[in-house]
Amino acid sequence: MSRRWDLRPALAPALAIALCVGVGWATRAPAAAGDPDALARRFSWAITDVNGDPPAARTERAVEPALRHIRAWISAVGASAGLADLDGNARPDDVCLVDPRDDAVTVLPAPGTGARYAAFPLVPGPPGNVPAAVAPMGCMPGDLNEDGLTDVLVYFWGRTPLAFLRVPGTTLAATAFRAFDVTGGSGEIWNSTTADLADLDGDGHLDLLIGNYFPDGARVLDASAHDDPLIRMQDSMSNATNGGRNRILRLDHVDRTGPVPLPRYADASAAFPDDQARSWTLAFGAQDLDGDGLPELYTANDFGRDHLLDNRSTPGHIAFTELRGRRSASMPKSKVIGNDSFKSMGVAFPDLNADGRPDIVVSNITTQWGLQESNFAYVSTGTGPIRGRPAPYTDRSEPLGLSRSGWGWDVKAADFDNDGTDELIQAVGFVAGRGNDWPQLQELAMTNDDVLRFPWAWPNFGPGTDIAGHQRDPFLVRDADGRYVDIGERLGIANAGPSRGIAVADVDHDGRADVLIANQWARSQFLRNTGPAGAYLGLRPLLPAAAPGGHPRPAIGAAVTVTRADGRVLRQQLFPANGHTGVNGPELLFGLGAAAGTPVPVTVTWRDASGPHTTTTSLSPGWHDLVLA
């Protein structure tokens, strides 16, 4: 008698294992085509600490009692760094640093640039003038009052932002700045996490973008604020719209009647519809994507949809129209512009396909075996007008090698070896501790949206919490096959702690871009570029003095095109404050390859109060100031 065997029970587990192995193999990150060690030999860094350890340095914040069991989560942001020329020596060799360990906002010389002055804090008044429930989240250098001197905007959790305006004719020190509330002293409570500076309406004056996070009025850091009804977490992990309202402060005029010119702003926040305005924003990116002289705006939002906004403003009136991408049959929904459910935290605009239209790189959470979303590399699909069309971008992050890096924050693009191709450096990491709290995060991710906004529904994230706390900042270099390869470990880039903001500038004007990294709950670091310099063109586009007795000021928003001797065309735009909490120096650096000593054609387009302009000139390699008269 024959015997029939039912193999289905035995085959099912084997088939499941085979499917898992097959899917895992198909989704693995491809290996580099070239030799990473050979790529690493093109770069070299001298890495030093920017600051020491403050007395009684802490690693978490005091918070409203309802948030105490998740205070490690609440304490995860606040480190910021900017590079600028604060002392007037025409180099971006001055540092503005926010250190959450003591909530200090410090100005100091960049390491290796000489002891030109003693480090000093920016404080809004006498010691103790800042309430305990207020903490700085970022500092943004920029000329806010059009006098040609660099000011510093400091934004906070717990109050409205303060402009520290440089007092003319003073030596660089704490007394050389006057604190000024950009809202006119409204007394409102904002919880701001990012800021940007751009001429949004094309009137020739720089407007402020303030990205807010927790709801307006919420006393997040007030340990005495029991039962604050405004304390709410996000109302969704993928489409939250209950955060603080983002603000646009349009520069209306500058009051020059006193010893310090005062910028006067009009609230133009109504340009954001309610769902865009309250989307838990962590980064802004301004960039002219269609060549009309007005910057489009990319808003990178935590817990849900980002927004790409086509700028339709006119002088005195700021207006946007949202652009959304078009989905193909093989494209995941979250990789379409305007439809993502990810946790976006940084944005940069390299030209990845060299077609003249800036592309868009966005940091997200991409931790293997943890929370694996995807960074975005939105590559342009054509040039020309964007009005009335779907967003002309498609995500190419996976084939470019940019999709996976860690728990991402700021991201910056720059040509660090002057070969004409941008590299990328990214800040990563969340909360550093002793344990492994990914299970609690997975529990949180499955929480019903109806209760997610209430802190009592959250698992514990207290002292010792570790979620992506020991990741290393990637340094991504393009290989011969066009993919980006992370060689950060080979270059000795090792985080002192989770990092947040990145600032890039050639601080000593030797033709090599340097990097400043703001770390959360640890010393921040300066990466001085010691690699081969190569031929370069450094450019400081400047606008003439706005008033008698003033100085030229950075031409924020200027677009520069350089044609190299080998015919390659390089393009950059001057928007130093794009991103999370890192602010670049207000200048542009172009790698000229082997064209040492050969003048190159340079075209600059810009806007001022009289409208758009274009000029073309020829410049030799090296650094140049170009006043755009």
Side-chain angles (χ1 to χ4, degrees), residues 195-215:
D196 208 340
L197 189 64
D199 177 8
L200 295 175
D201 60 347
D203 66 351
H205 306 291
L206 294 178
D207 311 306
L208 293 176
L209 285 155
I210 308 296
N212 290 323
Y213 199 71
F214 283 98

Side-chain angles (χ1 to χ4, degrees), residues 453-476:
R453 75 195 68 179
F454 302 110
W456 52 259
W458 282 49
N460 290 335
F461 294 113
T465 293
D466 188 281
I467 302 173
H470 301 280
Q471 297 178 342
R472 178 188 43 76
D473 290 342
F475 184 81
L476 297 151

Side-chain angles (χ1 to χ4, degrees), residues 78-259:
S80 172
L83 289 167
D85 175 19
L86 290 167
D87 64 354
N89 69 351
R91 294 182 178 182
D93 53 3
D94 303 304
V95 171
C96 176
L97 186 71
V98 178
D99 189 341
R101 294 176 298 170
D102 62 351
D103 285 338
V105 183
T106 305
V107 172
L108 68 158
T113 62
R116 292 168 284 122
Y117 55 88
F120 61 88
L122 292 177
V123 293
N129 193 50
V130 179
V134 174
M137 292 287 140
C139 58
M140 182 181 71
D143 183 2
L144 304 177
N145 57 2
E146 300 181 345
D147 64 355
L149 303 176
T150 303
D151 313 301
V152 179
L153 182 84
V154 179
Y155 47 95
F156 302 85
W157 279 6
R159 62 153 300 144
T160 49
L162 290 173
F164 287 84
L165 302 173
R166 184 69 194 278
V167 179
T170 56
T171 302
L172 191 59
T175 54
F177 292 88
R178 172 184 170 182
F180 173 75
D181 190 325
V182 296
T183 69
S186 65
E188 297 176 355
I189 294 177
W190 296 0
N191 295 292
S192 308
T193 53
T194 191
D196 208 340
L197 189 64
D199 177 8
L200 295 175
D201 60 347
D203 66 351
H205 306 291
L206 294 178
D207 311 306
L208 293 176
L209 285 155
I210 308 296
N212 290 323
Y213 199 71
F214 283 98
D216 295 344
R219 294 177 290 172
V220 177
L221 303 181
D222 190 345
S224 66
H226 292 272
D227 302 319
D228 181 354
L230 296 175
I231 292 293
R232 290 291 182 267
M233 304 301 289
Q234 69 272 19
D235 58 3
S236 170
M237 289 296 279
S238 59
N239 192 27
T241 57
N242 67 326
R245 181 171 295 277
N246 291 341
R247 299 310 210 280
I248 299 175
L249 301 179
R250 184 181 63 81
L251 183 58
D252 184 69
H253 67 281
V254 177
D255 180 358
R256 303 185 186 278
T257 58

Side-chain angles (χ1 to χ4, degrees), residues 236-305:
S236 170
M237 289 296 279
S238 59
N239 192 27
T241 57
N242 67 326
R245 181 171 295 277
N246 291 341
R247 299 310 210 280
I248 299 175
L249 301 179
R250 184 181 63 81
L251 183 58
D252 184 69
H253 67 281
V254 177
D255 180 358
R256 303 185 186 278
T257 58
V260 180
L262 300 179
R264 301 295 186 181
Y265 295 96
D267 190 341
S269 307
F272 292 134
D274 195 62
D275 63 326
Q276 294 176 11
R278 303 186 62 202
S279 293
W280 298 80
T281 297
L282 285 174
F284 285 122
Q287 198 83 173
D288 182 4
L289 301 180
D290 56 3
D292 65 355
L294 294 174
E296 275 62 55
L297 185 64
Y298 191 95
T299 305
N301 297 318
D302 210 351
F303 313 120
R305 269 196 337 115

